[in-house]
Amino acid sequence: MDQRRLEYFVTVAEELNFTRAAQRLHVTQSTLSAGIKALENDLRVELLVRSTRSVRLTEAGSVFLAEARTAIEALDRARAAVEPLSTGLRGRLTVGILNGLTAIDIPALAGDFHRCHPEVRLRTETSQRGTAGLIERIKESHVDVAFVGTEIRDEHLRIRPIKKFEIALLVPADHPLADRTAVGLRDIAEEVFVDMPAGFGHRQVADEAFASAELSRRVLIEVSDITTIADYVAHGLGVALLPPEFAEPVGDTVKVVALRDVQLSWTLSVVASASRPPTRALHAFLDLIPHHIRRDRVF
């Protein structure tokens, strides 16, 4: 079975749009359509339902999608196994990224990787569900590797920690708690919070801490970029559980108060699947990450 046709199908299945898929693959729509049709003829089954407004997978297409991804990965590994080590890497690599991440210089990392391995097609994506969404994409084979905020242990994942963040309470400078040296969770349970949406690793740490203490809290404002939370606190829109470093850009407008009865932290990590053997391209990408960690950036 032709690998290129499999890649055509997987890309269309991910985008559910022939125009975007053709742009990702750098082919014409007619070439893409012809490739999909040839694949359907080979399989003697319809994989996609097309209309003038939408594209969707058939039942057969949904079943075939996972197998197509597995076949592409197997072909890449088989090709890599017989290629001399001096031969350039080929294939594709999809990298998941959290919004606002600057502690890893992603453009520089991508540029370095591309110069070393120009035949590997590199793609990045984010998720509106943050860490939970990216981990789900890894387990579904949509994403090969991702930068996430997570403390979890999962036998299906390879997790490499990059940076650990300790968490404190951030309050506006004129807040009644601003002069306190430390507070407990019960002291702040009635406060209004600024936080990230459910699914993000940072939000999960705070939610689990309150649940373990049999307390509830109210999140008034949700933002998908963790680096902006302190700005919302500075403008009096709530308090936040956040690493103290994140308060530095807003200066004296925000005060940091230690937590008394609990130690909270979360870790920026790079995660890949433990269920699929890593490709040479993935190994090469992981090896470059330490060279692009920006010590001068908070997150």
Side-chain angles (χ1 to χ4, degrees), residues 50-279:
R50 311 153 177 84
S51 71
T52 56
R53 295 185 176 181
S54 66
V55 178
R56 62 179 176 85
L57 290 167
T58 63
E59 182 178 355
S62 296
V63 172
F64 185 67
L65 179 57
E67 301 300 330
R69 289 197 180 100
T70 300
I72 292 170
E73 291 174 358
L75 288 169
D76 285 342
R77 288 196 301 271
R79 187 178 293 107
V82 297
E83 285 177 344
L85 292 178
S86 59
T87 301
L89 300 183
R90 298 177 183 274
R92 63 180 184 172
L93 193 71
T94 301
V95 182
I97 303 170
L98 292 170
N99 288 327
L101 177 65
T102 58
I104 308 297
D105 192 339
I106 301 297
L109 172 58
D112 198 1
F113 182 83
H114 177 70
R115 283 187 291 275
C116 295
H117 312 291
E119 296 302 316
V120 178
R121 296 190 300 279
L122 187 66
R123 176 174 176 265
T124 64
E125 72 169 63
T126 59
S127 171
Q128 292 183 340
R129 295 177 54 232
T131 288
L134 291 175
I135 287 177
E136 184 177 304
R137 297 283 285 174
I138 286 176
K139 291 182 176 181
E140 293 176 347
S141 301
H142 292 285
V143 168
D144 299 296
V145 60
F147 295 98
V148 300
T150 180
E151 296 280 350
I152 66 170
R153 294 181 179 273
D154 190 321
E155 63 181 5
H156 301 294
L157 299 173
R158 291 187 178 91
I159 303 174
R160 181 186 298 180
I162 296 174
K163 183 176 181 179
K164 186 174 183 178
F165 296 90
E166 302 297 333
I167 294 174
L169 177 71
L170 270 58
V171 301
D174 59 354
H175 193 279
L177 296 176
D179 293 329
R180 297 275 291 272
T181 57
V183 295
L185 292 184
R186 192 168 297 278
D187 299 326
I188 59 175
E190 299 301 319
E191 297 289 336
V192 173
F193 282 81
V194 182
D195 209 331
M196 307 188 78
F200 284 76
H202 176 268
R203 170 69 177 266
Q204 182 179 350
V205 169
D207 285 348
E208 289 180 352
F210 274 85
S212 296
E214 298 183 345
L215 297 170
S216 61
R217 65 174 183 144
R218 183 162 68 98
V219 177
L220 177 66
I221 295 179
E222 294 182 340
V223 298
S224 59
D225 185 343
I226 193 172
T227 63
T228 66
I229 292 178
D231 290 307
Y232 287 87
V233 174
H235 284 87
L237 294 170
V239 303
L241 291 171
L242 208 65
E245 307 98 293
F246 286 67
E248 292 174 4
V250 295
D252 295 335
T253 58
V254 166
K255 298 297 183 182
V256 176
V257 183
L259 295 176
R260 184 179 59 236
D261 55 355
V262 65
Q263 288 186 321
L264 302 182
S265 66
W266 62 276
T267 303
L268 175 65
S269 303
V270 60
V271 177
S273 173
S275 304
R276 302 189 303 276
T279 62

